[in-house]
Amino acid sequence: MLKYGRGRFKFGKIVLRYNIECDQRCSRLSVEELNDKGAMRMTTNGSSTSSNFIQNIINEDFDTNKYGGRVHTRFPPEPNGYLHIGHAKSICLNFGLAAKNGGLCNLRFDDTNPSKEEVEYVDSIKTDVKWLGFDWDDRMYYASDYFDQLYEYAVQLIKTGQAYVCDLSAEETRDYRGTLTEPGKPSPYRDRSVEENLDLFERMKAGEFPEGARVLRAKIDMASPNLNMRDPVIYRIMKASHHRTGDKWCIYPMYDYAHPISDSIEGITHSICTLEFEDHRPLYDWTLDALKIYHPQQIEFARLNLTYTVMSKRKLRQLVEEGYVSGWDDPRMPTISGLRRRGYTPEAIRDFCEDIGVAKANSMVDIAMLEHSIREYLNSRAPRVMAVLRPLKVVIDNYPAGQVEELDAEINPENPAMGTRKVPFSREIYIEQDDFLEDPPKKFFRLSPGNEVRLKHAYIIKCERVVKDEKTGAIIELHCAYDPETRSGSGSTRKVKGTLHWVSAAHAVPAEVRLYDHLFNRENPDEEKDFKSCINTNSLETLTACLVEPGLAGAPLGSRFQFLRHGYFIVDPVDAKPGALVFNRIVSLKDSWAKIMKKNG
Ligand code: ATP
Ligand code: MG
């Protein structure tokens, strides 16, 4: 009998390993056949599998009881910028693996570099992780919590002859290090006595030497083919105030030294990081082995890259500081705060992170896939409404002046349980300017002189006259006639090819609408010499004369709607005010990702 959890069964020579996982969204059964060639995986949940190669490693570790059945991960952001969608992948992976395996995940700020870190970033990171739906409970740590311990361990390395104080300048150190094809040369300070090293390191800590005068280096192997192992610097002098430890320290540990020890102190089992740290793993392992302390394992996965997007915090900060965007939370930014303001939901982001999976090789994910995730989420949830973004007035000459009908309109055809709403109809309405052409091409099924269209939820109208500005020739208004027998829902069987959305002139509510496009106009801005050379200067279009149906008048900040034929929109949580609606377009309705999937079968 299968039980929730994991285990094995045997059928003669065949050994199957099963894993049943449950989370809020679904349960999954995965079964692997353990044969000579390795594992073959089948997953039965119909959709994507939540399993990945890291889960396989965890499964192995359960089998061999490597960590006593524990899974303990951490998400270790450096507080030097706001989190982006790439971090969301890492958050979902670390917190997700812990949750799926009955384990824990810590939030740890990697604040070893005092010159770059700011409290604003710490606060935003906490907000973003929580908003994504994850909780570190009481396990929020800072690498700076361990500065005393890290110092003690450095002293220990000196005492065991595994670290030394080096006086070479940064430039000399680079020269001595060698290259990929040439081994390095030992520093002339490499063989200092333990006593001298202890004395100098102590005096580095006491602030006796200027920045750059001396460093502490691990004594590993200057001939190693891995440059990271050629006596890497583990402490440097920095006369900078730290956001948590103030002026207590003027020497600070390097990331490669602080990270494995922080993992070890916290009892992390699986230290998951991105691929560029693969070459640093030998140093991770060396540090823990040299200190003879508890040893987690580092596992690398491919970072998320998205088309038309840059993901480095340094580059994102440049966009903010140089005014290309309005801030870290500009709705065009790939930051979590930007996506939130744009209208993305945590569920859609988590689904996206699940769908892209976890790989061992770097690749580029089509941004259409991210957009697909929010469409999928909103399709059955967002109320449908009518909004005219570029209004053109239509007078229905045969409709009684002063009459108003409250028409019934379904709120969401994908979800009939959401019911219906009332939409007022009257003699003067607005339609979209581009829904009318005076001289239409063939197959233009919208409005044109003498042509008929249906007004959504209302009547069929026919265009009878076009009024133009005498001087400019611009179209000012249309005069139409309606067919009173064709009211929607009245059983009328008359069909026309086009259906237009509209708003009643006397009832519509004004709104500002912001339409967004990709921030960059090349697929991979990182490939350009200067990523800013391909900034899309048309990434924001602000329309200030829009009209929306009256039911939206009091729409709360952050509420989401589908504007028929235009896409999904959110009431901007920052700029909208009572009586002054501002909408951000989350995403248009055109789903290029669904199309790609369909084409590929
Ligand atoms: P950036 O280059 O954007 O500054 P970073 O790696 O320096 O990113 P950290 O704050 O150090 O940023 O990252 C915290 C965690 O998030 C790390 O474990 C890192 O590997 C992971 N991470 C960062 N960027 C991505 C990404 N694009 N895809 C997946 N994980 C990422
Ligand atoms: Mg980093």
Side-chain angles (χ1 to χ4, degrees), residues 239-253:
K239 306 225 159 149
S241 254
H242 187 278
H243 75 119
R244 299 194 79 238
T245 57
D247 293 323
K248 177 175 175 190
W249 297 91
C250 62
I251 53 171
Y252 289 94

Side-chain angles (χ1 to χ4, degrees), residues 76-78 80 255 276-277 313:
E78 188 181 345
N80 61 348
Y255 174 87
E276 65 274 19
F277 288 99
K313 279 183 283 190

Side-chain angles (χ1 to χ4, degrees), residues 199 364 374 423:
D199 174 60
M364 183 74 98
I374 187 65
V423 182

Side-chain angles (χ1 to χ4, degrees), residues 459-531:
Y459 297 95
I460 290 175
I461 57 167
K462 181 178 191 173
C463 175
E464 301 194 314
R465 192 159 56 89
V466 182
V467 181
K468 291 184 187 173
D469 183 292
E470 273 178 20
K471 279 198 196 123
T472 63
I475 298 169
I476 299 172
E477 64 180 35
L478 306 177
H479 284 260
C480 294
Y482 87 118
D483 177 350
E485 305 301 316
T486 57
R487 181 168 157 166
S488 292
S490 68
S492 153
T493 51
R494 206 146 81 71
K495 291 260 180 306
V496 286
K497 284 235 163 92
T499 301
L500 307 184
H501 64 272
W502 52 275
V503 291
S504 165
H507 304 89
V509 176
E512 175 177 319
V513 171
R514 298 169 182 174
L515 304 177
Y516 300 103
D517 196 356
H518 303 142
L519 247 184
F520 295 93
N521 50 28
R522 305 265 164 74
E523 269 206 5
N524 188 355
D526 289 322
E527 268 178 2
E528 306 298 315
K529 234 205 213 131
D530 173 10
F531 77 101

